[in-house]
Amino acid sequence: MGAVVEGWPRERVARTYGVLDRLLPYRHYVEETNWKRLAGTTEDGIERQKLIATAIIEKQDRILAQDLVAVWVRDLEPRKMTYKQEAFDRSLLEMARAGVPPVELGRLWPYPNVVSMARASHPLGLINAGDPRGAADDTIEVGKVYGKETYFGLRWGALYNAAIAHACTPGATVESVLATAREYAGYRAESAKLFARYDTIRHDLDQALEFARQARDWQDLRERFDTVYFGGGYFNYGMAQANEIVAKGIGLFALFRGDPKAAIIAAVNFGRDTDCLAAVAGGLSGAFSGARRIPAQWIAQVNRATKADRYTNNRRTIEQTSAGLLRAFRARQARLASWSRKMR
């Protein structure tokens, strides 16, 4: 839904749709002159997410950067990627095929604060359900394909996936999810010098939570965020910085108390990087509230579009991906239980 208006100012969204709350056909890249995407067709962020999910489902466990890149090399076709992924995705694939070690790929990445990892790595939070530390660790480890450990984009991804892992815990509350996100804002910054550097993350997160606490509704929240995040061109990723997207997404989670439908619709109508924002706000809210709060017709339409997609890296339905990730989680839990019994 957010891809339809990606990069638009909020005023254009309002003039064109009023409030956009439905899946629509759209075009995404200039190469798509002969391909109009069906309503519900996913885009580059979900392509990355699918690849991470594939690696986890096949390994039936947590993954490393090398596990993800092995799936890239096997499953990705540069010709198809032209329609579904960004140019930098194709460059990373070619470097991997040329023999660059997976954990070194991110050193060649020119976008240190882009939200790519945070908006696409939800499966890392899910395979670590109940274990925020594991989710944060895996985000940094796997995220090395997209950036150096010091990059702010990976730090935002780590706190976001830690929040997802906690959101899956029985008894989690909106407040406990937000507290977990805040706890991991200083992740791997134990020294005073590092903590001072990364304290800007906590500042932006606290600011977002204060905006959500004060806001009367999502329009009011949007106005508050617009005083902080503005300008920047879309095609140089100025609208897709991790601090803006994750802070806004967590703010929407807080405002709507974990309601994924409401969070997604509001995100789509915020303007700027609408698809990434909807992925972040909806992903955390969905982990907390579950699929029952997501309209069945949305899920069915995405599944129909996926089956008809000529360029995606796999055509699993949403249900098949969810079931595969759940099997992987249960397999991991069984191995841990067996190890625990053995080591008593």
Side-chain angles (χ1 to χ4, degrees), residues 181-218:
R182 193 172 189 280
E183 176 186 353
Y184 281 84
Y187 176 68
R188 295 196 187 183
E190 287 75 14
S191 75
K193 182 178 291 187
L194 279 176
F195 190 83
R197 178 181 178 189
Y198 292 111
D199 200 40
T200 57
I201 295 176
R202 181 164 291 169
H203 170 271
D204 283 8
L205 181 58
D206 285 347
Q207 177 177 252
L209 297 179
E210 182 62 17
F211 284 170
R213 189 187 67 80
Q214 296 175 352
R216 299 182 302 275
D217 51 34
W218 67 264

Side-chain angles (χ1 to χ4, degrees), residues 24-203:
L24 297 172
Y26 67 101
R27 299 188 193 278
H28 204 249
Y29 295 123
V30 294
E31 293 86 352
E32 296 178 17
T33 53
N34 297 315
W35 182 45
K36 189 173 185 178
R37 302 186 188 207
L38 294 176
T41 303
T42 55
E43 41 59 87
D44 54 286
I46 297 301
E47 288 300 290
R48 297 183 202 104
Q49 188 181 81
K50 285 181 174 183
L51 294 161
I52 294 172
T54 295
I56 291 171
I57 290 168
E58 292 185 357
K59 189 175 181 181
Q60 293 285 282
D61 205 347
R62 296 165 66 182
I63 61 170
L64 304 171
Q66 66 197 45
D67 301 314
L68 175 59
V69 172
V71 172
W72 288 5
V73 171
R74 185 194 68 196
D75 291 356
L76 290 177
E77 299 179 35
R79 179 185 63 84
K80 292 184 177 181
M81 292 174 72
T82 299
Y83 293 89
K84 291 290 290 188
Q85 293 188 250
E86 300 281 356
F88 62 68
D89 290 297
R90 301 194 294 276
S91 297
L92 290 173
L93 174 63
E94 293 306 322
M95 287 188 285
R97 286 179 166 176
V100 176
V103 295
E104 297 295 325
L105 289 171
R107 295 181 180 276
L108 306 172
W109 171 269
Y111 309 111
N113 196 37
V114 170
V115 75
S116 301
M117 189 63 184
R119 69 89 65 234
S121 60
H122 304 59
L124 299 179
L126 298 177
I127 190 63
N128 286 284
D131 180 12
R133 172 67 67 176
D137 285 341
D138 288 0
T139 303
I140 297 296
E141 164 57 31
V142 178
K144 288 177 182 176
V145 303
Y146 292 120
K148 295 186 290 187
E149 182 177 337
T150 54
Y151 282 1
F152 277 64
L154 295 192
R155 300 302 180 109
W156 279 100
L159 77 84
Y160 177 71
N161 282 326
I164 284 184
H166 177 77
C168 296
T169 305
T173 65
V174 170
E175 287 70 27
S176 66
V177 172
L178 297 175
T180 300
R182 193 172 189 280
E183 176 186 353
Y184 281 84
Y187 176 68
R188 295 196 187 183
E190 287 75 14
S191 75
K193 182 178 291 187
L194 279 176
F195 190 83
R197 178 181 178 189
Y198 292 111
D199 200 40
T200 57
I201 295 176
R202 181 164 291 169
H203 170 271

Side-chain angles (χ1 to χ4, degrees), residues 282-321:
L284 181 56
S285 299
F288 178 74
S289 297
R292 68 185 181 278
R293 301 286 294 275
I294 301 171
Q297 63 268 32
W298 289 6
I299 295 173
Q301 183 58 43
V302 171
N303 286 339
R304 283 193 290 271
T306 298
K307 288 183 179 180
D309 192 335
R310 292 173 280 173
Y311 303 110
T312 186
N313 63 70
N314 76 72
R315 293 190 175 88
R316 286 190 306 264
T317 64
I318 291 172
E319 293 87 349
Q320 288 168 337
T321 297

